[in-house]
Amino acid sequence: MPVEFISAININQSNELNRLGQTDIDLPFFKRYARALDEGGFDYTLVAYSSSFHDPFTLASAITQHTERVRPIVALRPNTMYPTVAAKQLATLDQLSGGRAVVHFIAGGDDREQAREGDRLSKTERYARQSEYIDILRKVWTSTTPFDHAGTYYSFEDFVSLVRPVNGTIPVSVGGSSAEAYQVGGAKGDIFGLWGEPLKETKQQIDAVYEQARLAGRSDTPRIWVTFRPIIAPTEELAWEKAHRILGVLQGNGGIVHKGFRVGGNATPANVGSQRLLAAAARGDVHDRALWTATAKATNAAGASTALVGTPETVAAAILDYVDLGAELVSIRGYDNFNDVVDYGRYVLPLVRQELAHREATGRRGEVVPLDAGLAQQELVGAAGTRVAS
């Protein structure tokens, strides 16, 4: 399958840089943002989940009504919804969108966050529950007669759904960096999500997921999804200047909550993914071609927080390094939410696709060539929005 691109939906203009602190949906902005994803060539957009967030199913449904192609990925924590209900809601979304629904499972990496909505299972139990949940979803989507289920975490009788996914099923994504995540995702995920680590560590994680797929008896493997926060500008020097301006703001954001994560702070993160990002940051700020971990250090690795820094050509080449490892889905979202989505769609996605088309046509890898060698410096900087709060 071709490499596909993911972003994340934003409901208003607030971001880590402008620190507007808005929480309500800005409907004109939301519509404009969703259309920018479509027009920019993104294939998916993540609809995140937090105990304090808006309902992701409602947001995902709204996205599909303002777009033609982009597929919403609904983040779902099993503790928040009974699996038969989730199966019907996802299938309903799938029908409304013409078969565009995707679900991304979050087992939960922070006991305190889980407890906010009454979930007090251990991490091991949360992954076991997630595994059972996935099995139930798929059976609901495919069963045409009533069935019973008696499992460790769920039990019901005589259930059947008349709400069918458009294509018979809905892609299931699993994420994480722990042994439990690899096991469940490798065995049952259509997609497996990773945060952006150095190439060596990313390859090790991919291999771990593939091994679990093999042990589960699968003849295929999950598609790998890797996430970054690119920082681009017309020259390398300008990109790094911009990166350090952004870093300065992030370093001053201690205690600010953005998109469900507390930015900054010194406590050791509970989840393995954040711990791994901080370990990479401790080894050095820059890894491989363009991976920058200083942003992870500044935010205490609150969510996907490593950047790719450079010109669009450098960032595209760095993305292709991960594609060469096996990544088939690449998530890129910026710090200046709307303007970065526009820039990525104009200057990064086409370069990656251009090089992949070149490889397909010639069987050889080439150099990532600028789409427009005469690109004016102010065009990209203006679109990228270097208005960084002080």
Side-chain angles (χ1 to χ4, degrees):
M1 296 183 72
V3 172
E4 296 181 301
F5 285 92
I6 305 169
S7 189
I9 195 64
N10 283 274
I11 62 171
N12 57 46
Q13 298 181 62
S14 293
N15 57 52
E16 292 120 305
L17 301 185
N18 61 36
R19 297 179 284 181
L20 294 176
Q22 297 173 354
T23 57
D24 292 345
I25 295 170
D26 178 339
L27 191 55
F29 178 89
F30 177 84
K31 292 177 180 178
R32 183 179 174 219
Y33 196 98
R35 287 193 291 265
L37 292 170
D38 238 17
E39 294 164 2
F42 282 89
D43 302 286
Y44 305 85
T45 188
L46 177 65
V47 188
Y49 187 86
S50 167
S51 61
S52 60
F53 267 25
H54 293 81
D55 172 54
F57 281 91
T58 307
L59 291 176
S61 182
I63 290 165
T64 67
Q65 302 311 297
H66 297 294
T67 58
E68 298 295 330
R69 65 184 302 275
V70 71
R71 306 181 65 178
I73 304 175
V74 179
L76 176 59
R77 286 184 185 165
N79 62 293
T80 63
M81 185 178 294
Y82 205 74
T84 54
V85 178
K88 290 185 295 180
Q89 287 200 208
L90 286 162
T92 301
L93 173 65
D94 202 53
Q95 289 186 12
L96 280 172
S97 64
R100 287 189 274 161
V102 181
V103 60
H104 177 65
F105 277 95
I106 305 171
D110 186 327
D111 290 344
R112 293 173 300 175
E113 169 66 6
Q114 294 302 119
R116 290 182 181 120
E117 294 184 300
D119 187 18
R120 295 178 176 82
L121 295 184
S122 68
K123 177 181 177 180
T124 299
E125 291 173 312
R126 292 198 293 264
Y127 273 104
R129 177 181 60 190
Q130 179 174 284
S131 179
E132 184 177 336
Y133 201 108
I134 292 170
D135 290 341
I136 293 170
L137 288 190
R138 287 181 169 144
K139 191 163 186 179
V140 170
W141 291 331
T142 57
S143 294
T144 57
T145 57
F147 67 95
D148 300 341
H149 178 83
T152 303
Y153 301 96
Y154 304 101
S155 177
F156 52 86
E157 298 80 37
D158 200 36
F159 181 83
V160 67
S161 172
L162 301 179
V163 190
R164 303 282 172 210
V166 172
N167 299 306
T169 191
I170 291 170
V172 170
S173 171
V174 175
S177 296
S178 64
E180 294 92 343
Y182 301 152
Q183 193 279 319
V184 175
K188 300 185 177 181
D190 299 304
I191 298 166
F192 193 92
L194 298 169
W195 288 342
E197 296 188 20
L199 291 167
K200 178 181 177 181
E201 286 77 8
T202 300
K203 179 63 164 59
Q204 291 169 348
Q205 292 206 83
I206 293 173
D207 289 345
V209 173
Y210 286 177
E211 174 64 9
Q212 289 301 318
R214 184 190 68 79
L215 292 173
R218 292 180 61 164
S219 59
D220 64 345
T221 54
R223 301 180 71 203
I224 299 298
W225 159 8
V226 185
T227 301
F228 305 99
R229 310 288 301 273
I231 300 170
I232 61 172
T235 69
E236 298 294 324
E237 180 180 13
L238 288 170
W240 282 104
E241 288 178 2
K242 180 179 175 182
H244 283 283
R245 288 197 301 272
I246 290 171
L247 180 62
V249 177
L250 295 178
Q251 288 171 333
N253 275 357
I256 292 178
V257 175
H258 179 72
K259 296 188 76 66
F261 297 103
R262 184 166 296 278
V263 179
N266 298 313
T268 301
N271 63 303
V272 176
S274 293
Q275 293 170 11
R276 290 178 62 99
L277 294 187
L278 291 175
R283 296 195 302 272
D285 284 348
V286 182
H287 299 259
D288 306 314
R289 189 189 300 267
L291 183 70
W292 196 41
T293 60
T295 46
K297 190 184 302 182
T299 59
N300 204 29
S305 51
T306 50
L308 296 174
V309 181
T311 63
E313 295 75 31
T314 295
V315 169
I319 288 171
L320 287 162
D321 290 339
Y322 288 87
V323 170
D324 292 337
L325 289 184
E328 294 183 57
L329 300 109
V330 180
S331 176
I332 52 174
R333 61 184 180 88
Y335 292 97
D336 183 4
N337 45 24
F338 180 83
N339 291 316
D340 283 340
V341 158
V342 171
D343 272 357
Y344 298 158
R346 288 177 178 172
Y347 307 116
V348 177
L349 272 62
L351 289 175
V352 174
R353 288 175 171 146
Q354 174 182 278
E355 168 57 16
L356 291 173
H358 167 79
R359 294 181 183 185
E360 180 71 20
T362 66
R364 301 192 307 273
R365 297 180 189 176
E367 180 183 352
V368 175
V369 178
L371 293 172
D372 180 1
L375 179 67
Q377 174 177 317
Q378 64 270 21
E379 181 180 355
L380 177 55
V381 171
T386 56
R387 299 175 301 279
V388 179
S390 60

